[in-house]
Amino acid sequence: MIYFLSSEISFLFFFPFFFFFIKFSLTGHTNKLYTVKASYDTTRAVTGSYDRTIKIWDLNKGNATKTLTHTSTANDLCFLDEASHTIISGHFDGSLRLWDIRSGETVKELSNICQSQITSLSPFSEKRRVLINSKDNNLKVLDLRMFEVVQTYS
């Protein structure tokens, strides 16, 4: 399956790989999208928008199942577990947030991880660590068990 994102009109288009037609469009954000990620089983997606919300989408039904709100734009998101219950979001204000998408609650908020906005996240090492890219010209490795930066690359 291939997912295309149009930040101009705030739609997420879902295309089955072999047909190339629009199955449905997911609408609901009030401003442009910055990020979209599909779950490991491709039944759900998460989107982060300039409207300061994160939406959880059911890709089988074509609707938003939950909206998470916060005070800063989510520039990037990723699922942290195979069951797709936990996501991590990197924000314009330089903070990271871990979310339980079943409850919609913030599990952990880490402020001052970066001095500038976080631009991308990449989990690795069996999802125990995440590589953080930010506009402060640093790459940081965060250990998700201790919630500490263990390495910084300048």
Side-chain angles (χ1 to χ4, degrees), residues 46-125:
V46 291
T47 55
S49 170
Y50 188 73
D51 65 9
R52 297 181 181 170
T53 63
I54 295 170
K55 289 193 180 283
I56 315 303
W57 302 91
D58 182 327
L59 295 179
N60 293 322
K61 296 179 181 175
N63 62 353
T65 59
K66 197 167 297 263
T67 300
L68 314 174
T69 58
H70 43 83
T71 58
S72 180
T73 301
N75 289 338
D76 201 11
L77 302 160
C78 53
F79 285 94
L80 287 181
D81 57 351
E82 297 294 325
S84 302
H85 296 306
T86 308
I87 61 171
I88 188 168
S89 56
H91 293 268
F92 184 84
D93 63 5
S95 65
L96 284 172
R97 292 175 178 88
L98 275 77
W99 303 84
D100 180 338
I101 63 172
R102 293 168 294 187
S103 68
E105 299 295 320
T106 304
V107 176
K108 183 84 171 173
E109 183 170 348
L110 304 167
S111 55
N112 301 324
I113 291 292
C114 298
Q115 301 304 313
S116 186
Q117 66 178 297
I118 293 172
T119 56
S120 65
L121 303 170
S122 182
F124 68 100
S125 188

Side-chain angles (χ1 to χ4, degrees), residues 140-154:
K140 295 183 180 183
V141 176
L142 179 75
D143 188 309
L144 292 171
R145 295 168 293 178
M146 300 180 296
F147 298 110
E148 293 179 3
V149 174
V150 293
Q151 187 76 40
T152 301
Y153 302 97
S154 298

